Amino acid sequence: MSTRLFGARIKRNIDPQLLRGEGSFIDDIPLAQALHVAFVRSPFARARINSIDISAAVAHPGVAAVYTCDNVGPLDIEMPLLIPHSSMHDARTQRPLARDDVYYVGQTVAMVVAVDRYTAEDAAALVDVDYDPRDVEIDLEKAILDDAPLVHDTHERNVAAHFVQVCGYPDSAIAQAEHVTKIRVQVDRSTAAPMECRAVAAQFDEVTGELTVWDGTQAPISVRGGLASIFKLDEDKVRVIAPNVGGGFGQKVLLFYPDELLVPMAAMQLGRPVKYIEDRRENFVGSSQERTQIHFMELYAKKTGEVIALRDSFLHDTGAFIPYGIAVAQVASTSIAGPYRIPNIWVEFKAIYTPTVPVTPYRGCGRPQACFAIERAMDQLADELGLDRFEIRRRNLIADHEFPYDREGLIFADGLKVSLDSGQYHKALAMMEERLDAPSFAAEQAKARAEGKHLGLGLAFYVEGTGLGPYEGGHVRIHPITGKVYVNTGLTSQGQGHDTVFAQIAADQLGVKPEDVILVEGDTKAFDWGVATFASRAAVVSGNAIHKSAMIVKRKALQAAANMLEADVGDVELKDGAAWIKGTDRKVPLSAVATATNPLRYAFNEAAQAATQFAPASRHDGPSLDEGEHPGLEATDYYSPPCATWAYGVHGALIEVDPELCSVTIRKYVCIHDCGNMINPMIVEGQVMGGIAQGLGGAMYERIEFDETGNMLNANFVDFLVPYATEIPDVEIHHLETPSPLNALGVKGVGEAGCIAVGAVVASGVEDALKALGGGTFRHTPITPSMIHAALDAA
Amino acid sequence: MARGKIKPKLPQSSDDPRVSVKLTVNGEEVTREVSVRMLLSDFLRHELGLTGTHVGCEHGICGACTIVMDGKAARSCLTFAVQASGREIRTIESLADPDGTLHPLQQAFQDCHGLQCGYCTPGMIMNILSHLESDAEIDLSDAGVREILAGNLCRCTGYQNIIAAVRRAADHMAPKAGQE
């Protein structure tokens, strides 16, 4: 191979298909005579159901079936708890269709199946549900008081989980502190808002007994396992396909949503394909959300600014149910000390039930909240000690020679210890200082102020545990006819460009063009060992598995080619789709090598004709395949990481606040980040930039609003403000590449990185900009014009 | 549903009144009988099988369903199929050459990494195309391009690369000096 593809800005294989409008998103897949689903959803945040009358809906023309909890057989259950943990007792999960009680506005109560969605919605409106509403408390801090109304009678003060983790000796360290800074910060609820809402379609083949489910999930293998278990089907007779999926951002990793079970059930019962295409309002009221946390943090420091202990106690809103366990809060609590040495940590959280849409991971998964807490606290400490914000960080950042830096006692979401494995934190900070020209900012700020403009510098550092296990696999095969390379893994893609980065990894080993590597994932019939796409883990875990498999295939290909070319294996190399004797023009195409490794070959094609010229491949002594020998050039291998590998970065911005309009304009935004070796910098930058845009949404615009009765006030794109191009500034992205010492490719994850620090950057910059006006502190995101107005009003 | 059981009797259609629509889609004349309330997006996607037009919000905010109707960008999710009768419609499927070669605007999106999941992309492209093909002068300044995109949401890219793609496409599509 001439040039290494790993590290190159290769254009994406998937793009032409998507650009021509030839993608296959779930509702694009033609299913003959498909029936369509609409749900009846609870209009109350908490209510007792007295009765449900479906008679008018059943009689409505075009309706095929109406389901309630009374006629869904094995689905009248509480759905599985995905990640059990000792900090929870009697963890509550949702039923596909409500029985007796409803726990949030939007909860599914009945399902209508009809000839089209229009008719299904008409009939859903005819289902008559008699509710007896109960009192609710939406405010997180009030929900934990003794007299607060309960979401679940089983859980006093609405506490779903309570967990404390300790690293080092916080008590003795606190006793030695010379300064303490205390801060309360809050991040509000948001939602992933993928451009394609969730969707499920199912078809049951009576002849083969096979159930096929197209599901816009991030975790098809797990969905298959659950479907087979709940419906008592042979696992092999259930095929789950996640085709093109229009964004996920964590929302689509939860299983099961009610529709993921009910739609396959209806398809099996009715004998026709059934599909549920979630609409935007349903995505707001029915699909998982995240973010609300309130942190009370204390930093214990020496006069020098060196932080020797951290105490943090936080409330985490888990919504009406806790199907994903404590993952979000656990990630927040183990990321709480950020990139800083802080050797002594006491961190506690309470996960609280509120009668709202359930909370499960959304891109960032607790990290943005933890980053917001520690970074705002660091800024405050700097302010109190009269130190510069860069300086306070310099004095606490872990130094290069201190890696791996273990936080003994903190257990990450993968159940393994927190060990920050590598990085150049100080260099990243220095780069940021330079890119923002921080030393001359004070003068620039003063000059702007003289002109009536209010500029601020925002700064925040983040770390991200990525590449969580337990494992993924990779299957690699060289096709005997075309010589193209087929790669399979157990993941799914929602736009991350797996088909290109995994192609680069395989192509480097096998000497083919990346466009000649064809990735098939997201289909349990293609590969069904593995976990899912989440936690910034695809490149690390599947990437390394595919790398290992490709190396095995390379070895096999070299050996087979050496036999064919009658050369020493050490003299053979793979490049340009062929095996060559190094330094000569003697070669044999990979297709012919793959063909020659198959003892049966009819001369259907050129590869077979080419292969037949190489007689040594056909033996005349004994069986064609020796014991243990396999036909073809293929291999499957797996990668299981020892623990998460920690990426990091620092974001900074120059921000202007207009005190009259209370508007915020980002004049410059710089991101320095390090995700280890980059497979494809173009794709990395795309991931980072997209994350930053999502972060800016959360920092300034996006907040799910509930009224006091628990009704969502902005369940649409008119009122919930996802940023357009007019809201997102240009961003400067700079890379550092500190290879991960934990895996052969030296890679770390990057999918979530961009969004983590943004809230803290914006708050830090707005606060700085308004300091001269006595604008006070900004410790609550999103920062809205109303909040700025209130802060200036109070000045 | 198991074999050997009597199949349930299921409805085949709704009671909706139907109406005949006749329009031109991607240069081809089509006539269909459809429900009076069928949205143009559903008509294109499910009656004609042109599934490249996507639906992201069904209330005219995200722009994923944008098509070009009589030369202007329009939201197919806010238009009834019957309203499109007699009109001329272009969808994303009309852009590439029959052999699959991408239109310069599509190519610019690939070159600039202007798409990730690709769900918003067809609507984004049809909107941009209506501007690039219009007689009105286009403002290719940063603010100008952002304004062109201001009716299309993208949740993946952060827009920076889409803005680059618009400029690149405008450059490629502009009539070269002396060719006019």
Side-chain angles (χ1 to χ4, degrees), chain A residues 552-715:
Chain A
I552 300 170
V553 174
K554 177 187 187 178
R555 208 158 56 229
K556 288 184 178 181
L558 287 173
Q559 188 58 59
N563 293 347
M564 294 167 78
L565 294 164
E566 297 179 319
D568 194 80
V569 70
D571 292 334
V572 181
E573 64 178 341
L574 305 180
K575 65 173 185 186
D576 302 334
W580 302 68
I581 299 183
K582 286 178 193 166
T584 74
D585 59 358
R586 289 194 60 209
K587 63 168 179 175
V588 53
L590 271 181
S591 52
V593 181
T595 300
T597 57
N598 180 359
L600 172 71
R601 45 181 197 274
Y602 298 119
F604 287 136
N605 52 62
E606 283 176 24
Q609 284 156 13
T612 51
Q613 300 164 24
F614 298 94
S618 316
R619 286 184 298 241
H620 301 284
D621 49 349
S624 302
L625 288 174
D626 285 334
E627 195 59 36
E629 192 182 354
H630 298 175
L633 296 176
E634 73 179 314
T636 302
D637 207 348
Y638 298 87
Y639 173 70
S640 182
C643 62
T645 181
W646 288 71
Y648 66 93
V650 54
H651 290 198
L654 301 183
I655 287 172
E656 182 178 344
V657 183
D658 180 331
E660 272 182 53
L661 295 175
C662 297
S663 61
V664 175
T665 308
I666 293 170
R667 295 283 171 220
K668 184 183 178 86
Y669 197 104
V670 180
C671 159
I672 316 278
H673 84 106
D674 186 345
C675 60
N677 293 335
M678 290 187 287
I679 305 166
N680 185 329
M682 177 192 83
I683 286 178
V684 168
E685 285 162 11
Q687 291 293 305
V688 170
M689 183 63 216
I692 290 173
Q694 230 160 8
L696 285 166
M700 299 202 281
Y701 307 104
E702 299 170 8
R703 170 198 276 141
I704 295 286
E705 304 257 12
F706 292 102
D707 69 13
E708 58 190 21
T709 67
N711 257 298
M712 204 182 292
L713 298 175
N714 56 349

Side-chain angles (χ1 to χ4, degrees), chain A residues 11-12 19-20 27-28 33 118 122 191-192 206 268 279-280 686 690 702 717 723-725 728 731, chain B residues 1 3 12 14 37 39 42 45-46 56 58-59 61 100 106 110-111 116-117 146 155-156 159-160:
Chain A
K11 285 182 208 168
R12 303 198 319 166
L19 285 161
R20 287 192 292 256
D27 197 27
D28 301 345
Q33 292 239 299
Y118 303 77
D122 287 349
T191 186
E206 292 172 29
M268 286 190 283
D279 72 18
R280 184 54 61 184
E702 299 170 8
F717 278 162
Y724 286 105
I728 301 298
V731 170
Chain B
M1 119 148 224
R3 296 176 94 180
Q12 300 295 324
S14 74
R37 60 173 168 171
L39 297 172
D42 281 337
R45 292 174 46 75
H46 301 307
E58 296 178 88
H59 54 280
I61 303 299
Q106 294 170 314
Q110 182 180 27
D111 293 344
Q116 289 183 26
C117 79
R146 288 179 192 276
R155 195 58 161 165
C156 294
Y159 304 104
Q160 200 158 311

Side-chain angles (χ1 to χ4, degrees), chain A residues 11-16 18-23 25 27-29 33 35 61-64 115-116 118-119 121-122 190-197 204 206-207 244-247 249 267-272 275 278-281 362-363 494-496 682-683 685-687 689-691 693-694 697 702 715-718 720 722-732, chain B residues 1-3 7-16 35 37-43 45-46 50-64 75 80 92-97 99-102 105-107 109-122 125 142-143 145-147 149-161 163 168:
Chain A
K11 285 182 208 168
R12 303 198 319 166
N13 286 343
I14 197 175
D15 286 354
L18 293 172
L19 285 161
R20 287 192 292 256
E22 293 169 358
F25 298 88
D27 197 27
D28 301 345
I29 294 166
Q33 292 239 299
L35 296 165
V63 169
V115 290
D116 56 44
Y118 303 77
T119 308
E121 285 188 21
D122 287 349
S190 189
T191 186
M195 291 312 300
E196 184 198 23
C197 296
F204 183 68
E206 292 172 29
V207 178
N244 292 136
V245 176
F249 314 114
M268 286 190 283
Q269 283 194 6
L270 301 174
R272 288 226 324 238
K275 61 162 81 171
E278 183 187 64
D279 72 18
R280 184 54 61 184
R281 178 177 165 75
Y362 158 40
R363 191 183 209 171
Q494 301 81 36
Q496 302 91 329
M682 177 192 83
I683 286 178
E685 285 162 11
Q687 291 293 305
M689 183 63 216
Q694 230 160 8
E702 299 170 8
N716 60 68
F717 278 162
V718 182
F720 180 86
V722 174
Y724 286 105
T726 38
E727 279 73 53
I728 301 298
D730 271 341
V731 170
E732 246 182 78
Chain B
M1 119 148 224
R3 296 176 94 180
K7 279 179 185 288
K9 183 168 183 263
L10 297 174
Q12 300 295 324
S13 63
S14 74
D15 255 11
D16 283 1
S35 157
R37 60 173 168 171
M38 176 176 273
L39 297 172
L40 180 58
S41 51
D42 281 337
F43 177 80
R45 292 174 46 75
H46 301 307
L50 298 177
T51 52
T53 299
H54 297 146
V55 178
C57 73
E58 296 178 88
H59 54 280
I61 303 299
C62 80
R75 305 281 207 235
F80 290 114
I92 188 71
E93 287 88 350
S94 69
L95 262 67
D97 289 347
D99 70 356
T101 304
L102 298 179
L105 179 54
Q106 294 170 314
Q107 189 59 55
F109 264 71
Q110 182 180 27
D111 293 344
C112 299
H113 188 30
L115 69 158
Q116 289 183 26
C117 79
Y119 196 78
C120 74
T121 312
I125 285 182
D142 188 68
V145 177
R146 288 179 192 276
E147 201 52 49
L149 301 178
N152 292 82
L153 286 175
C154 169
R155 195 58 161 165
C156 294
T157 64
Y159 304 104
Q160 200 158 311
N161 292 345
I163 292 162
R168 190 183 174 96

Side-chain angles (χ1 to χ4, degrees), chain A residues 35 224 298 400 486:
Chain A
L35 296 165
R224 183 191 65 170
E298 299 166 0
D400 297 2
Y486 283 74

Side-chain angles (χ1 to χ4, degrees), chain A residues 1 45 68 79 134 139 147 205 216 232 260-261 289 303 313 315 353 364 369 402 447 513 517 537 555 564 674 716:
Chain A
M1 129 203 84
T68 69
M79 289 190 280
R134 291 170 60 172
D139 184 297
D147 57 351
D205 184 329
K232 299 198 183 344
E260 291 178 296
L261 294 171
Q289 303 175 342
K303 285 250 167 7
S313 175
L315 298 176
Y353 287 121
Q369 299 95 312
E402 292 175 282
K447 183 165 163 271
K513 290 185 278 193
V517 180
R537 64 192 294 279
R555 208 158 56 229
M564 294 167 78
D674 186 345
N716 60 68

